[in-house]
Amino acid sequence: MINSDEFWNELDSYTKDMIEAIADLSARRYIILCNVRTRQCWWSESAARFFNHDDFYFTAEQTKTLATIHPDDFGNFLGFISTIIRGKGTDAVIEFRAKPNNASEYNFFSMKGRVISSKDGKPHFALLMLHNYGIREEIDEITGLHNEISFSRRIAEKIDDNIGNVILKVAIEKFSHINVMYGAEYANKLIREVAENIARLTGDDGTVYRLSGVKFGICLRPMSRTDLKSFYRKLVDLLADKIFVEGKKVPLKISAGAIILDNFMKDAVAVRSRITYALNHSKQYHHGDLVIFNDEVCGGINDNLDLISTIHQCALNGCEGFYMCYQPIVNPKDGRIKGMEALVRWRRDPYGNIPPGTFIEWLEEDPCIFELGNWILRRSLEDAKEIASEDPEFFINVNISAAQIERHEFRESVTQILEESGLNPKQLCMELTERCRELDTKFLREEINFFKSKGIKLAMDDFGTGNASLSVALNLPIDELKIDMSFVKDIKNKPVNQAMVKSIVEFANTTNLETCIEGVEDDSVKEYLGQFDATWHQGYFYSRPVPIQEFKELYYLSNRN
Ligand code: C2E
Ligand code: CA
Ligand code: CA
């Protein structure tokens, strides 16, 4: 038996209370504290409860029997623990599956650790933080392929594997038009067809995963750059020429990023970020040509990785350097500002101003987006308070990322922040960005219903992009569609875009959904859009996003008399 007084003796008298309080406050996070010297461990109540133990103190020997770790994850798990206990690898994150000994299904966990050394520099305590993500499905329903969760796990495994493995991430371009025009069923058939073709081409050379949206991950056996490039060329040709749905050829264009794992890549999160970076590069600057990370084409990437890690640190550090701007949302009939969209910004020397389009995507793969999201909501509601209390019709739109909704604490944070702000819930509208729509529909509907029951409005952001069709909108109890600006750009010369905007607005009007057309950049576009009966307009023509003081001036000016 371990004497609990003895265990905590070596620490300050408040430490135990504090650690317990932290564990209590973090739903689904468990803390384990190990005394490396005595080889004794303490589990937070939440951890002990989840794994069905009445006791909180265990010897190192006992800990091996306290939970069942998935056999495939066991090696990684042990490696991680021994690295941490040796006081090394403090930035590493491990993902693994575990369950209480008598349970049938595994839960997914991520774990981080820190070592606390004594004055002589020798490790004394190891603090482990576990995050329980619950039971997650690993198979994509549409294609039958393994999904993003498996992909992430596989990357973590490959890192420890023999060197030279290749990870490829492929995105199908301009899929959104197909989705909106032909509907979800057709789009799903197409995705299935694509998946089958990619899997056939890959054969024994690797494993294919369906990632969020219309992206695929491929883990390939070690191969040379030349072989990789020739594999990709075959893939490009295949998707451009050999995809048929309902007897008709559908030519698809793709872009891709890849990484060849080497000795220096030991962090799965960093590997994923780099592949995403390479993929974005391929899309933006190389017309879909394969970008292999570390190639000359990725010049400046290390500066970027440095930037990402700085932003990450700042987000954790009280959201240092972040600030908000607000863009007016206007009633196109009378030109009055009736609401605003909160848009986050980040500024810091020597980087200067970094636009959110760059960093939000990076942070979405990082748990700190949750804390930042709460900070954004709190700040925005605080800034909206003055006008909102004078004008009960006034509303504020706040962007919500998938990584926020997915968290179990999200409902509670929003409710609490809203309550603290004193704003009427009706005056808050949460914009669900593209990736939110890729969440499980049932889950998403439940979350939306919860927020609606609180009186909060919900909008679907960037509608028309990504993997959302009208039928998805029909199935979700949302209040507003925000039509993506890519449809508005050059709308006067693009009949397809005209048809899209027209059909979206008409559909919304018949189902009592509000619409907001984004990206109204100039007078002529505004005039042209007048023929569509959209509820709201937003764009540079009315105003760029501005700091709150400037917004207030615009608001009062447009609402005079
Ligand atoms: P979004 O939600 O679609 O936001 C609209 C973006 O379009 C903003 O870019 C805005 O400055 C820009 N914009 C507005 N009017 C016009 C126009 O007339 N023409 C053009 N070309 N652009 C216009 P920004 O602020 O750079 O934000 C980019 C994206 O970053 C946002 O797209 C949103 O997805 C994300 N984001 C921004 N703030 C937040 C936030 O607080 N939380 C989350 N989760 N995401 C955010
Ligand atoms: Ca938005
Ligand atoms: Ca948008």
Side-chain angles (χ1 to χ4, degrees), residues 212-486:
S212 61
V214 271
K215 298 193 200 82
F216 293 88
I218 311 175
C219 291
L220 288 165
R221 63 168 174 80
M223 60 171 72
S224 68
R225 273 162 194 266
T226 320
D227 286 350
L228 174 58
K229 284 182 180 165
S230 104
F231 174 83
Y232 183 62
R233 226 169 295 124
K234 281 186 211 147
L235 190 61
V236 169
D237 293 344
L238 181 70
L239 299 182
D241 212 35
K242 298 274 177 332
I243 302 295
F244 290 83
V245 177
E246 292 167 4
K248 270 231 257 343
K249 181 157 115 180
V250 190
L252 295 171
K253 193 176 155 7
I254 55 174
S255 46
I259 194 163
I260 299 176
L261 295 178
D262 64 28
N263 254 333
F264 303 102
M265 288 170 208
K266 286 289 166 217
D267 177 1
V269 176
V271 167
R272 291 212 308 264
S273 296
R274 285 164 192 212
I275 302 170
T276 306
Y277 185 94
L279 171 64
N280 288 346
H281 243 258
S282 156
K283 199 180 307 184
Q284 283 177 16
Y285 307 113
H286 300 278
H287 310 290
D289 285 350
L290 176 66
V291 171
I292 303 176
F293 184 85
N294 266 352
D295 259 11
E296 52 296 344
V297 279
C298 276
I301 179 119
N302 285 324
D303 294 348
N304 271 299
L305 291 176
D306 175 44
L307 171 64
I308 293 158
S309 112
T310 309
I311 293 182
H312 166 93
Q313 283 307 324
C314 287
L316 290 179
N317 200 3
C319 298
E320 203 185 310
F322 290 93
Y323 64 99
M324 301 306 299
C325 278
Y326 300 93
Q327 189 174 34
I329 298 176
V330 179
N331 179 345
K333 296 185 186 80
D334 59 13
R336 286 179 197 261
I337 298 176
K338 272 294 151 202
M340 61 184 189
E341 177 175 357
L343 294 158
V344 70
R345 269 95 189 83
W346 187 76
R347 180 179 48 215
R348 187 173 153 148
D349 290 336
Y351 306 102
N353 275 307
I354 305 296
T358 314
F359 65 77
I360 288 284
E361 193 177 349
W362 296 109
L363 292 183
E364 283 224 320
E365 297 194 352
D366 188 309
C368 74
I369 183 87
F370 190 71
E371 274 67 38
L372 179 64
N374 286 343
W375 180 90
I376 290 171
L377 188 60
R378 199 171 285 119
R379 178 83 257 157
S380 307
L381 297 189
E382 179 64 33
D383 284 343
K385 227 154 75 181
E386 187 184 319
I387 304 182
S389 65
E390 292 169 10
D391 177 356
E393 304 276 288
F394 183 79
F395 55 87
I396 170 154
N397 283 26
V398 179
N399 291 286
I400 303 296
S401 66
Q404 287 174 273
I405 303 204
E406 273 181 320
R407 291 274 284 267
H408 291 264
E409 310 95 302
F410 184 62
R411 289 181 177 200
E412 203 180 313
S413 314
V414 173
T415 324
Q416 194 183 346
I417 294 169
L418 189 59
E419 219 170 272
E420 282 164 13
S421 78
L423 227 74
N424 183 338
K426 280 201 193 92
Q427 293 178 291
L428 170 64
C429 173
M430 303 204 300
E431 294 190 7
L432 306 179
T433 47
E434 188 203 323
R435 280 206 47 219
C436 295
R437 301 192 289 262
E438 293 159 7
L439 296 170
D440 176 63
T441 318
K442 182 166 164 277
F443 170 78
L444 193 56
R445 182 176 307 117
E446 277 167 13
E447 299 310 297
I448 293 178
N449 277 332
F450 171 81
F451 291 114
K452 278 185 74 105
S453 75
K454 299 280 165 195
I456 299 168
K457 286 174 67 179
L458 287 118
M460 203 177 261
D461 201 1
D462 305 335
F463 188 71
T465 66
N467 199 11
S469 63
L470 285 172
S471 64
V472 174
L474 253 183
N475 280 322
L476 288 172
I478 48 152
D479 304 280
E480 180 181 342
L481 295 177
K482 294 197 79 175
I483 301 170
D484 190 64
M485 50 188 132
S486 57

Side-chain angles (χ1 to χ4, degrees), residues 19-38:
I19 295 181
E20 246 170 6
I22 294 168
D24 264 358
L25 290 172
S26 337
R28 291 186 155 258
R29 296 214 167 184
Y30 312 148
I31 293 178
I32 294 178
L33 182 67
C34 304
N35 186 326
V36 179
R37 295 187 190 160
T38 61

Side-chain angles (χ1 to χ4, degrees), residues 155-182:
I155 291 176
E157 287 164 8
K158 287 274 177 193
I159 286 174
D160 289 335
D161 249 27
N162 55 344
I163 302 309
N165 283 309
V166 177
I167 320 274
L168 186 67
K169 188 167 170 180
V170 179
I172 313 275
E173 298 303 330
K174 303 221 188 305
F175 195 77
S176 46
H177 281 62
I178 294 170
N179 225 327
V180 177
M181 294 303 247
Y182 301 107

